[in-house]
Amino acid sequence: MAEQLPGQMGIFDYVDDPAPKEPDNPPKQTIDILTFLNTGSKHAIKRKWLCYKTGLNDRTMRDLLHEARKKIPVINLQNGSGYFIPDMNQENDRKMLVRWVRQEESRIKESQSIVETAKKTLSNCGVDWR
């Protein structure tokens, strides 16, 4: 790149530098979100606080919580109380886990219904989606 004279405009005054930038967040593999979650509904923690404690953005936190749920139930009942691992020694937490499972089963059924409608539209238009 040619030397820029004082006061001279350069290309990067108009467009962003195309050089790859370091990610704002550390790689997902370096953080085990389960170490930040509490057991028991009385100790639920909000996602915003988890982001603050880990330094991760909200999208990354959602992804980590999704992956954590593949290992152990992590409940968020959409009531603003936050995320927690159910304490299976507490009847209230067992009931909350049942409620969460029913909520997720309902979501699965609703999503399947929506996908079936889209498949039918593709089929009616002669489009093979597979």
Short mmCIF file of all heavy atoms in Angstrom, two decimals, residues 1-42:
data_model
loop_
_atom_site.label_atom_id
_atom_site.label_comp_id
_atom_site.label_asym_id
_atom_site.label_seq_id
_atom_site.Cartn_x
_atom_site.Cartn_y
_atom_site.Cartn_z
N MET A 1 0.85 -1.18 0.00
CA MET A 1 0.00 0.00 0.00
C MET A 1 0.89 1.24 0.00
O MET A 1 1.86 1.31 0.75
CB MET A 1 -0.90 -0.05 1.23
CG MET A 1 -1.94 0.98 1.30
SD MET A 1 -2.93 0.50 2.70
CE MET A 1 -4.17 1.56 2.80
N ALA A 2 0.53 2.22 -0.78
CA ALA A 2 1.33 3.44 -0.88
C ALA A 2 1.22 4.26 0.39
O ALA A 2 0.21 4.21 1.09
CB ALA A 2 0.86 4.25 -2.09
N GLU A 3 2.26 5.01 0.66
CA GLU A 3 2.27 5.86 1.84
C GLU A 3 1.22 6.95 1.71
O GLU A 3 1.06 7.55 0.64
CB GLU A 3 3.66 6.47 2.00
CG GLU A 3 3.79 7.32 3.23
CD GLU A 3 5.19 7.87 3.37
OE1 GLU A 3 6.15 7.19 3.00
OE2 GLU A 3 5.29 8.99 3.85
N GLN A 4 0.50 7.19 2.80
CA GLN A 4 -0.56 8.20 2.78
C GLN A 4 0.01 9.51 3.30
O GLN A 4 0.67 9.56 4.34
CB GLN A 4 -1.72 7.72 3.66
CG GLN A 4 -2.95 8.56 3.54
CD GLN A 4 -4.13 7.91 4.26
OE1 GLN A 4 -4.15 6.73 4.49
NE2 GLN A 4 -5.11 8.70 4.59
N LEU A 5 -0.21 10.59 2.58
CA LEU A 5 0.26 11.91 2.97
C LEU A 5 -0.65 12.48 4.04
O LEU A 5 -1.83 12.14 4.12
CB LEU A 5 0.29 12.84 1.76
CG LEU A 5 1.21 12.40 0.61
CD1 LEU A 5 1.02 13.30 -0.59
CD2 LEU A 5 2.66 12.37 1.05
N PRO A 6 -0.13 13.35 4.91
CA PRO A 6 -0.97 13.96 5.95
C PRO A 6 -2.18 14.65 5.34
O PRO A 6 -2.06 15.39 4.36
CB PRO A 6 -0.04 14.97 6.62
CG PRO A 6 1.35 14.51 6.30
CD PRO A 6 1.25 13.82 4.97
N GLY A 7 -3.35 14.38 5.90
CA GLY A 7 -4.59 14.99 5.43
C GLY A 7 -5.21 14.30 4.24
O GLY A 7 -6.31 14.64 3.82
N GLN A 8 -4.51 13.33 3.67
CA GLN A 8 -5.02 12.61 2.49
C GLN A 8 -6.03 11.56 2.93
O GLN A 8 -5.84 10.88 3.92
CB GLN A 8 -3.87 11.96 1.74
CG GLN A 8 -4.28 11.25 0.49
CD GLN A 8 -3.09 10.60 -0.21
OE1 GLN A 8 -1.98 10.59 0.32
NE2 GLN A 8 -3.32 10.07 -1.38
N MET A 9 -7.12 11.42 2.19
CA MET A 9 -8.15 10.43 2.48
C MET A 9 -7.69 9.09 1.94
O MET A 9 -7.09 9.00 0.88
CB MET A 9 -9.48 10.82 1.84
CG MET A 9 -10.03 12.16 2.28
SD MET A 9 -10.62 12.18 3.97
CE MET A 9 -12.13 11.32 3.80
N GLY A 10 -7.98 8.05 2.68
CA GLY A 10 -7.65 6.70 2.25
C GLY A 10 -8.91 5.88 2.05
O GLY A 10 -10.01 6.29 2.45
N ILE A 11 -8.76 4.72 1.46
CA ILE A 11 -9.90 3.85 1.19
C ILE A 11 -10.64 3.48 2.47
O ILE A 11 -11.85 3.37 2.50
CB ILE A 11 -9.47 2.58 0.39
CG1 ILE A 11 -10.69 1.75 -0.01
CG2 ILE A 11 -8.53 1.73 1.22
CD1 ILE A 11 -11.54 2.36 -1.06
N PHE A 12 -9.89 3.29 3.58
CA PHE A 12 -10.53 2.85 4.82
C PHE A 12 -11.26 3.99 5.54
O PHE A 12 -11.88 3.78 6.57
CB PHE A 12 -9.53 2.15 5.73
CG PHE A 12 -9.00 0.90 5.10
CD1 PHE A 12 -7.65 0.71 4.93
CD2 PHE A 12 -9.86 -0.09 4.64
CE1 PHE A 12 -7.16 -0.44 4.34
CE2 PHE A 12 -9.39 -1.23 4.04
CZ PHE A 12 -8.03 -1.42 3.88
N ASP A 13 -11.17 5.21 4.97
CA ASP A 13 -12.02 6.29 5.47
C ASP A 13 -13.44 6.13 4.96
O ASP A 13 -14.37 6.75 5.46
CB ASP A 13 -11.47 7.65 5.02
CG ASP A 13 -10.14 7.97 5.67
OD1 ASP A 13 -9.94 7.59 6.84
OD2 ASP A 13 -9.29 8.58 4.99
N TYR A 14 -13.62 5.28 3.94
CA TYR A 14 -14.93 5.07 3.32
C TYR A 14 -15.51 3.69 3.59
O TYR A 14 -16.72 3.52 3.67
CB TYR A 14 -14.84 5.27 1.80
CG TYR A 14 -14.43 6.66 1.42
CD1 TYR A 14 -13.13 6.95 1.07
CD2 TYR A 14 -15.35 7.69 1.44
CE1 TYR A 14 -12.75 8.24 0.74
CE2 TYR A 14 -14.98 8.98 1.10
CZ TYR A 14 -13.68 9.25 0.76
OH TYR A 14 -13.32 10.53 0.43
N VAL A 15 -14.64 2.68 3.72
CA VAL A 15 -15.12 1.32 3.95
C VAL A 15 -14.35 0.72 5.13
O VAL A 15 -13.26 1.17 5.48
CB VAL A 15 -14.92 0.42 2.70
CG1 VAL A 15 -15.74 0.91 1.53
CG2 VAL A 15 -13.46 0.32 2.32
N ASP A 16 -14.94 -0.30 5.71
CA ASP A 16 -14.29 -0.99 6.83
C ASP A 16 -13.08 -1.77 6.34
O ASP A 16 -13.06 -2.26 5.21
CB ASP A 16 -15.26 -1.94 7.52
CG ASP A 16 -16.35 -1.21 8.27
OD1 ASP A 16 -16.10 -0.07 8.73
OD2 ASP A 16 -17.43 -1.78 8.40
N ASP A 17 -12.11 -1.91 7.19
CA ASP A 17 -10.92 -2.71 6.89
C ASP A 17 -11.35 -4.16 6.70
O ASP A 17 -11.98 -4.74 7.58
CB ASP A 17 -9.94 -2.59 8.07
CG ASP A 17 -8.60 -3.25 7.79
OD1 ASP A 17 -8.48 -4.03 6.83
OD2 ASP A 17 -7.68 -2.98 8.57
N PRO A 18 -11.01 -4.77 5.55
CA PRO A 18 -11.43 -6.14 5.29
C PRO A 18 -10.62 -7.18 6.06
O PRO A 18 -10.94 -8.36 6.03
CB PRO A 18 -11.22 -6.29 3.78
CG PRO A 18 -10.12 -5.34 3.47
CD PRO A 18 -10.30 -4.18 4.41
N ALA A 19 -9.58 -6.76 6.75
CA ALA A 19 -8.75 -7.72 7.50
C ALA A 19 -9.59 -8.38 8.59
O ALA A 19 -10.40 -7.71 9.26
CB ALA A 19 -7.56 -7.01 8.12
N PRO A 20 -9.44 -9.69 8.77
CA PRO A 20 -10.22 -10.36 9.81
C PRO A 20 -9.88 -9.82 11.19
O PRO A 20 -8.72 -9.50 11.46
CB PRO A 20 -9.81 -11.83 9.68
CG PRO A 20 -8.62 -11.87 8.80
CD PRO A 20 -8.53 -10.57 8.08
N LYS A 21 -10.91 -9.66 11.98
CA LYS A 21 -10.73 -9.15 13.33
C LYS A 21 -10.83 -10.29 14.33
O LYS A 21 -11.48 -11.29 14.08
CB LYS A 21 -11.78 -8.10 13.63
CG LYS A 21 -11.64 -6.89 12.73
CD LYS A 21 -12.68 -5.84 13.01
CE LYS A 21 -12.42 -4.67 12.06
NZ LYS A 21 -13.52 -3.83 11.87
N GLU A 22 -10.20 -10.10 15.46
CA GLU A 22 -10.28 -11.10 16.53
C GLU A 22 -11.72 -11.13 17.04
O GLU A 22 -12.36 -10.09 17.15
CB GLU A 22 -9.33 -10.73 17.67
CG GLU A 22 -7.87 -10.86 17.32
CD GLU A 22 -7.48 -12.29 17.00
OE1 GLU A 22 -7.90 -13.20 17.73
OE2 GLU A 22 -6.76 -12.50 16.02
N PRO A 23 -12.24 -12.31 17.38
CA PRO A 23 -13.61 -12.38 17.90
C PRO A 23 -13.72 -11.65 19.23
O PRO A 23 -12.77 -11.60 20.00
CB PRO A 23 -13.85 -13.88 18.06
CG PRO A 23 -12.51 -14.51 18.07
CD PRO A 23 -11.58 -13.61 17.32
N ASP A 24 -14.91 -11.07 19.46
CA ASP A 24 -15.17 -10.37 20.72
C ASP A 24 -15.24 -11.33 21.89
O ASP A 24 -15.04 -10.95 23.04
CB ASP A 24 -16.48 -9.59 20.64
CG ASP A 24 -16.39 -8.44 19.63
OD1 ASP A 24 -15.27 -8.00 19.34
OD2 ASP A 24 -17.45 -8.01 19.17
N ASN A 25 -15.58 -12.57 21.61
CA ASN A 25 -15.77 -13.56 22.67
C ASN A 25 -14.76 -14.69 22.53
O ASN A 25 -14.38 -15.06 21.43
CB ASN A 25 -17.18 -14.16 22.59
CG ASN A 25 -18.23 -13.10 22.82
OD1 ASN A 25 -18.09 -12.28 23.72
ND2 ASN A 25 -19.26 -13.11 22.02
N PRO A 26 -14.37 -15.28 23.65
CA PRO A 26 -13.49 -16.44 23.56
C PRO A 26 -14.23 -17.61 22.92
O PRO A 26 -15.47 -17.61 22.89
CB PRO A 26 -13.15 -16.75 25.02
CG PRO A 26 -14.14 -16.02 25.83
CD PRO A 26 -14.69 -14.91 25.00
N PRO A 27 -13.53 -18.60 22.38
CA PRO A 27 -14.20 -19.75 21.78
C PRO A 27 -15.12 -20.43 22.79
O PRO A 27 -14.85 -20.46 23.98
CB PRO A 27 -13.04 -20.67 21.39
CG PRO A 27 -11.84 -19.81 21.37
CD PRO A 27 -12.08 -18.70 22.34
N LYS A 28 -16.24 -20.97 22.28
CA LYS A 28 -17.22 -21.63 23.14
C LYS A 28 -16.61 -22.75 23.99
O LYS A 28 -17.01 -22.96 25.10
CB LYS A 28 -18.34 -22.22 22.29
CG LYS A 28 -19.21 -21.20 21.62
CD LYS A 28 -20.26 -21.90 20.81
CE LYS A 28 -20.95 -20.95 19.88
NZ LYS A 28 -21.90 -21.62 19.03
N GLN A 29 -15.65 -23.47 23.41
CA GLN A 29 -15.08 -24.62 24.08
C GLN A 29 -14.37 -24.25 25.39
O GLN A 29 -14.18 -25.07 26.24
CB GLN A 29 -14.07 -25.36 23.19
CG GLN A 29 -14.61 -25.78 21.85
CD GLN A 29 -14.47 -24.70 20.80
OE1 GLN A 29 -14.97 -23.59 20.94
NE2 GLN A 29 -13.80 -25.01 19.71
N THR A 30 -13.97 -23.00 25.54
CA THR A 30 -13.21 -22.62 26.71
C THR A 30 -14.09 -22.35 27.93
O THR A 30 -13.58 -22.24 29.03
CB THR A 30 -12.34 -21.38 26.44
OG1 THR A 30 -13.19 -20.29 26.12
CG2 THR A 30 -11.36 -21.64 25.32
N ILE A 31 -15.39 -22.23 27.73
CA ILE A 31 -16.28 -21.91 28.85
C ILE A 31 -17.30 -23.02 29.03
O ILE A 31 -18.03 -23.37 28.11
CB ILE A 31 -17.01 -20.57 28.61
CG1 ILE A 31 -15.99 -19.43 28.61
CG2 ILE A 31 -18.07 -20.34 29.67
CD1 ILE A 31 -16.57 -18.08 28.37
N ASP A 32 -17.33 -23.58 30.23
CA ASP A 32 -18.37 -24.55 30.58
C ASP A 32 -19.44 -23.80 31.34
O ASP A 32 -19.28 -23.49 32.52
CB ASP A 32 -17.79 -25.69 31.43
CG ASP A 32 -18.84 -26.74 31.79
OD1 ASP A 32 -19.99 -26.63 31.31
OD2 ASP A 32 -18.50 -27.66 32.54
N ILE A 33 -20.51 -23.47 30.65
CA ILE A 33 -21.56 -22.63 31.24
C ILE A 33 -22.20 -23.30 32.46
O ILE A 33 -22.72 -22.63 33.34
CB ILE A 33 -22.61 -22.24 30.17
CG1 ILE A 33 -23.46 -21.06 30.65
CG2 ILE A 33 -23.50 -23.41 29.81
CD1 ILE A 33 -22.66 -19.82 30.94
N LEU A 34 -22.12 -24.63 32.52
CA LEU A 34 -22.71 -25.33 33.67
C LEU A 34 -22.05 -24.92 34.99
O LEU A 34 -22.69 -24.99 36.04
CB LEU A 34 -22.62 -26.84 33.47
CG LEU A 34 -23.50 -27.40 32.35
CD1 LEU A 34 -23.23 -28.88 32.13
CD2 LEU A 34 -24.97 -27.15 32.64
N THR A 35 -20.82 -24.45 34.94
CA THR A 35 -20.15 -24.01 36.17
C THR A 35 -20.73 -22.70 36.68
O THR A 35 -20.51 -22.34 37.83
CB THR A 35 -18.63 -23.87 35.98
OG1 THR A 35 -18.38 -22.86 34.99
CG2 THR A 35 -17.99 -25.18 35.56
N PHE A 36 -21.48 -21.99 35.83
CA PHE A 36 -22.07 -20.71 36.22
C PHE A 36 -23.54 -20.85 36.62
O PHE A 36 -24.12 -19.91 37.13
CB PHE A 36 -21.96 -19.70 35.07
CG PHE A 36 -20.56 -19.26 34.79
CD1 PHE A 36 -19.76 -19.97 33.90
CD2 PHE A 36 -20.02 -18.16 35.43
CE1 PHE A 36 -18.47 -19.58 33.64
CE2 PHE A 36 -18.72 -17.75 35.18
CZ PHE A 36 -17.94 -18.48 34.28
N LEU A 37 -24.13 -22.02 36.35
CA LEU A 37 -25.54 -22.22 36.66
C LEU A 37 -25.71 -22.81 38.06
O LEU A 37 -24.88 -23.61 38.50
CB LEU A 37 -26.19 -23.15 35.63
CG LEU A 37 -26.26 -22.59 34.21
CD1 LEU A 37 -26.76 -23.66 33.26
CD2 LEU A 37 -27.15 -21.37 34.16
N ASN A 38 -26.79 -22.41 38.70
CA ASN A 38 -27.09 -22.90 40.04
C ASN A 38 -28.11 -24.02 39.99
O ASN A 38 -28.91 -24.10 39.07
CB ASN A 38 -27.62 -21.75 40.90
CG ASN A 38 -26.63 -20.61 41.00
OD1 ASN A 38 -25.46 -20.83 41.26
ND2 ASN A 38 -27.10 -19.40 40.77
N THR A 39 -28.11 -24.84 41.03
CA THR A 39 -29.11 -25.90 41.16
C THR A 39 -30.23 -25.38 42.05
O THR A 39 -29.98 -24.79 43.10
CB THR A 39 -28.48 -27.16 41.78
OG1 THR A 39 -27.41 -27.59 40.94
CG2 THR A 39 -29.50 -28.27 41.90
N GLY A 40 -31.44 -25.59 41.59
CA GLY A 40 -32.61 -25.17 42.35
C GLY A 40 -33.22 -23.90 41.82
O GLY A 40 -32.50 -22.94 41.50
N SER A 41 -34.55 -23.89 41.73
CA SER A 41 -35.27 -22.74 41.18
C SER A 41 -35.07 -21.48 42.01
O SER A 41 -35.14 -20.37 41.48
CB SER A 41 -36.75 -23.06 41.05
OG SER A 41 -37.29 -23.43 42.30
N LYS A 42 -34.81 -21.65 43.28
CA LYS A 42 -34.60 -20.48 44.15
C LYS A 42 -33.30 -19.76 43.83
O LYS A 42 -33.08 -18.64 44.29
CB LYS A 42 -34.61 -20.91 45.62
CG LYS A 42 -35.96 -21.40 46.08
CD LYS A 42 -35.93 -21.81 47.52
CE LYS A 42 -37.32 -22.32 47.92
NZ LYS A 42 -37.36 -22.77 49.31
#
